[in-house]
Amino acid sequence: MKTLVTGGAGYIGSHAAIELVAAGHDVVVLDNLSNGTRAAVEAIGRLAGRDVPFVEGDIRDSACLDRTFADHCFDAVLHFAALKAVGESVAEPLRYYQNNVAGTACLLERMAAHGVKTMVFSSSAAVYGDPATTPINENCPPDPKSPYARTKLIVESLLRDTHAADADWRISILRYFNAVGAHPSGEIGEDPAGVPQNLLPFVAQVAAGRRERLNVFGNDYPTPDGTGIRDYLHVVDLARGHVNALDYLATRTGVAVHNLGTGRGHTVFEVVRAFEAASAREVPYRIAPRRPGDVVVSCADPARAGDELGWTAEYDLRRICEDLWQWQSTHPHGFRGIKA
Ligand code: NAD
Ligand code: WQD
């Protein structure tokens, strides 16, 4: 199979590209480098053992997409390209709708024009909002709380409507829980620009001495140690899920929705302790006010992905921290220091 990976120069897409090549796919990466790097694409080539063609381009650029689809005979598209910062989406909603929603509409239109009707879409557990019960299964009614999360839910509707109008489409919607960790090689990983907004990258930078201490956002939640609980999923497990999703689509048309998570939750303090053990460094912290918009617990029920995709997460929190530390300690400034 030949697969186009949009957003493949970014964090999850680069890991997925490696797993795809390992599974025998030919891969082409398309990315506008708004948050991805050429260095990541080069690392994919090294780790995959073969060059992966790269198109610097935007999913909103029809002419660029037409050239790319004319140059390659794709069987499927893995669609990672999106803006993903929740706070930024509140401040700049139109940019998020433009990029994530209009961009996906443009991509789907050009795919249809070139007869490519198989897509795996990166959705998010953020579409569930703050559900009444946990763990969360796919029947939980969506209630997105930010413009970012709403762009994901709107794209899900866009995909359903696309299939309703043309039953040949094969669509997999994957709702990721918290993607974390790095490739075991330590050669690729998450490379946040500026101050990390998410827990694991922040903790890693504290352990590395780049930041003084972690702010723990609230220690008075109704959880065993008072801090928030999340379902942290190793990015390589997540990447493997995309190979399973493509295999699943090979035998059926329609629109499928699957949660990708471990089904296990960890508190902020559990993460801090696990990272201290993995890095043999101290992670100083202080208790800060709750972060607006945070939910108490977010944990996946991944049973459907197990039953239908044959996918389960293999790596635990210890391994997540070890692999993230390998990346952080060998690339203290991420790819940025070596950006072309
Ligand atoms: P990322 O920012 O590292 O990767 C996204 C890539 O898409 C970047 O390389 C960026 O340059 C590219 N891109 C953005 N807009 C583009 C456009 N218009 N045209 C071409 N390329 C464009 O983010 P990530 O963490 O790898 O996330 C990948 C996908 O997974 C996103 O759709 C995100 O919303 C989704 N997701 C991520 C998480 C998470 O925990 N990181 C959780 C749920 C869902
Ligand atoms: C985890 C826990 C924080 C930072 C976000 C997006 C979501 C998804 C994944 C894309 C919470 C606490 C955090 C810090 C802290 N992305 N925390 N100090 O909020 O579950 O999910 O990323 O779809 O849409 O919202 O992840 O890593 O930011 O927070 O105490 O400096 O760590 O309060 O309990 P979150 P996170």
Side-chain angles (χ1 to χ4, degrees):
M1 275 183 82
K2 193 164 197 178
T3 305
L4 177 66
V5 179
T6 76
Y11 172 44
I12 303 171
S14 58
H15 288 80
I18 291 168
E19 297 305 314
L20 281 178
V21 174
H25 291 246
D26 286 330
V27 170
V28 174
V29 167
L30 182 142
D31 198 298
N32 67 0
L33 301 184
S34 57
N35 200 39
T37 57
R38 270 179 204 284
V41 181
E42 284 157 15
I44 297 170
R46 281 198 304 279
L47 291 166
R50 93 165 91 117
D51 269 356
V52 169
F54 174 57
V55 179
E56 182 174 351
D58 196 295
I59 54 167
R60 293 163 295 178
D61 180 345
S62 304
C64 169
L65 293 177
D66 280 339
R67 280 194 303 276
T68 307
F69 282 106
D71 285 349
H72 304 273
C73 195
F74 292 116
D75 300 289
V77 174
L78 291 199
H79 179 32
F80 296 93
L83 300 172
K84 61 159 183 178
V86 174
E88 190 180 70
S89 79
V90 175
E92 300 176 72
L94 295 180
R95 196 171 140 234
Y96 271 67
Y97 286 106
Q98 230 307 308
N99 196 80
N100 295 2
V101 179
T104 303
C106 179
L107 174 63
L108 287 167
E109 200 178 53
R110 299 334 299 157
M111 285 175 68
H114 292 268
V116 182
K117 297 185 182 178
T118 300
M119 174 182 275
V120 179
F121 171 62
S122 303
S123 189
S124 171
V127 300
Y128 295 117
D130 193 0
T133 56
T134 183
I136 303 166
N137 71 31
E138 293 82 352
N139 297 322
C140 171
D143 183 18
K145 302 287 190 200
S146 67
Y148 164 71
R150 279 187 281 278
T151 68
K152 290 294 173 187
L153 195 59
I154 293 169
V155 169
E156 290 194 9
S157 298
L158 218 152
L159 293 169
R160 285 183 224 277
D161 289 344
T162 300
H163 172 262
D166 177 352
D168 288 345
W169 278 87
R170 297 160 189 262
I171 293 169
S172 162
I173 294 170
L174 300 178
R175 292 177 176 163
Y176 314 158
F177 282 67
N178 294 54
V180 290
H183 194 267
S185 65
E187 287 215 38
I188 55 170
E190 192 170 7
D191 184 15
V195 180
Q197 303 299 307
N198 299 115
L199 180 63
L200 263 302
F202 202 105
V203 167
Q205 292 192 6
V206 173
R210 268 184 78 179
R211 304 197 183 272
E212 204 180 334
R213 67 170 73 86
L214 171 72
N215 287 312
V216 174
F217 297 142
N219 67 346
D220 56 356
Y221 285 108
T223 62
D225 64 20
T227 64
I229 292 179
R230 296 291 183 276
D231 186 333
Y232 296 100
L233 175 63
H234 196 300
V235 65
V236 171
D237 277 331
L238 176 54
R240 281 192 305 103
H242 294 74
V243 178
N244 293 48
L246 278 178
D247 288 347
Y248 178 83
L249 292 181
T251 58
R252 77 210 81 208
T253 56
V255 181
V257 182
H258 293 97
N259 283 343
L260 295 186
T262 67
R264 291 181 299 276
H266 293 285
T267 68
V268 175
F269 287 140
E270 283 172 355
V271 170
V272 168
R273 280 196 297 274
F275 208 88
E276 287 182 330
S279 63
R281 301 279 181 100
E282 208 190 326
V283 177
Y285 67 85
R286 69 169 161 226
I287 306 300
R290 289 182 178 192
R291 185 171 63 176
D294 266 350
V295 301
V296 183
V297 180
S298 170
C299 208
D301 174 351
R304 189 192 282 178
D307 293 344
E308 295 183 353
L309 304 182
W311 174 90
T312 50
E314 286 175 6
Y315 294 138
D316 60 8
L317 182 61
R318 185 177 61 85
R319 182 65 190 266
I320 285 168
C321 294
E322 285 170 0
D323 288 345
L324 176 53
W325 181 240
Q326 175 70 12
W327 158 248
Q328 177 68 53
S329 55
T330 55
H331 298 76
H333 295 278
F335 289 119
R336 315 264 155 193
I338 50 172
K339 218 173 193 176

